[in-house]
Amino acid sequence: SQQGEEDPQALSIQEGENATMNCSYKTSINNLQWYRQNSGRGLVHLILIRSNEREKHSGRLRVTLDTSKKSSSLLITASRAADTASYFCATENLSGSRLTFGEGTQLTVNP
Amino acid sequence: NAGVTQTPKFQVLKTGQSMTLQCAQDMNHEYMSWYRQDPGMGLRLIHYSVGAGITDQGEVPNGYNVSRSTTEDFPLRLLSAAPSQTSVYFCASSYSSGDAEKLFFGSGTQLSVL
């Protein structure tokens, strides 16, 4: 079974708007990571937040983590058409041996 | 650096055929893994390796074999292909397993089993 579940499954916004994607997971984790996948390509790492962190920023990305609710959110501010992609959350188990991915959110940014 | 290289990019097999998906990385990463990606199911871990000579099963290992004779290479073998193995396969690596290691992905192999 999947560790992470993402919400929404699909999101369509206009350029310049903010995009928020959510991820929930079931078991305790070392860290949570967000990846991006452009159509037909491999995944690319965006940002990592450790279990003892609550918020992290990287450029236009802001990630929050609430371990009590077992949830995370990814905010992309001032979106661009080039942000159109699928976004996946992934959780690392406590032993550090594996990274488990959610089903992804398909983001479409309309010019 | 080429990063993570997967070959072939596309492959069509008949049911019962066997084949090997190749994965190589030139970053001296200890950790390597194979995922399959199916619509609506995200990525699921097939097998992984924390170093040369060490492999372990992931979430969906049945029908697949792996070996890790060198740090650089981590081939995935389909023993007797089935239509249920039609998927996109990704190889990924990181410097080591453990806290705060991000994965580097190859560009994928699209496999169709008829």
Side-chain angles (χ1 to χ4, degrees):
Chain A
S1 61
Q2 293 296 107
Q3 161 77 315
E5 294 184 2
E6 284 154 275
D7 170 55
Q9 290 187 325
L11 179 62
S12 181
I13 60 174
Q14 295 301 121
E15 211 164 23
E17 293 180 339
N18 295 343
T20 299
M21 289 159 269
N22 303 297
C23 170
S24 60
Y25 57 93
K26 299 173 184 174
T27 61
S28 296
I29 60 173
N30 272 343
N31 63 69
L32 186 144
Q33 305 179 28
W34 285 90
Y35 288 78
R36 165 191 169 133
Q37 183 181 34
N38 287 84
S39 181
R41 308 293 294 274
L43 280 72
V44 176
H45 181 268
L46 293 176
I47 193 167
L48 179 151
I49 186 165
R50 296 174 185 266
S51 60
N52 61 354
E53 297 175 314
R54 293 296 167 259
E55 187 171 313
K56 204 160 184 181
H57 296 254
S58 177
R60 294 185 295 114
L61 305 180
R62 182 173 78 98
V63 171
T64 61
L65 179 64
D66 186 336
T67 53
S68 65
K69 295 182 179 178
K70 291 186 169 59
S71 67
S72 173
S73 68
L74 171 68
L75 169 67
I76 303 174
T77 60
S79 64
R80 306 165 181 169
D83 294 329
T84 294
S86 291
Y87 292 82
F88 294 87
C89 70
T91 52
E92 183 178 277
N93 62 349
L94 292 180
S95 68
S97 62
R98 61 179 68 186
L99 204 57
T100 304
F101 286 81
E103 296 175 12
T105 293
Q106 172 62 51
L107 172 67
T108 302
V109 181
N110 301 299
Chain B
N1 287 351
V4 179
T5 303
Q6 289 184 237
T7 56
K9 290 190 182 300
F10 302 95
Q11 183 70 49
V12 178
L13 292 177
K14 294 182 179 178
T15 298
Q17 287 185 316
S18 62
M19 79 158 295
T20 299
L21 308 185
Q22 301 292 345
C23 176
Q25 52 87 12
D26 61 358
M27 298 174 282
N28 201 31
H29 284 174
E30 289 294 323
Y31 181 88
M32 296 186 74
S33 56
W34 278 100
Y35 288 86
R36 60 177 288 173
Q37 185 175 30
D38 301 292
M41 301 194 74
L43 281 82
R44 292 181 291 169
L45 182 64
I46 304 172
H47 285 285
Y48 65 95
S49 168
V50 298
I54 306 169
T55 63
D56 207 345
Q57 296 181 350
E59 185 182 354
V60 287
N62 292 341
Y64 308 94
N65 270 1
V66 292
S67 60
R68 185 94 179 272
S69 56
T70 67
T71 299
E72 295 77 19
D73 300 300
F74 190 44
L76 178 72
R77 297 184 190 84
L78 280 69
L79 309 173
S80 177
S84 61
Q85 293 178 304
T86 294
S87 187
V88 181
Y89 291 84
F90 288 99
C91 179
S93 70
S94 66
Y95 182 70
S96 68
S97 62
D99 189 26
E101 290 294 340
K102 65 180 184 181
L103 288 177
F104 292 81
F105 280 81
S107 56
T109 295
Q110 188 167 326
L111 176 68
S112 294
V113 182
L114 306 178

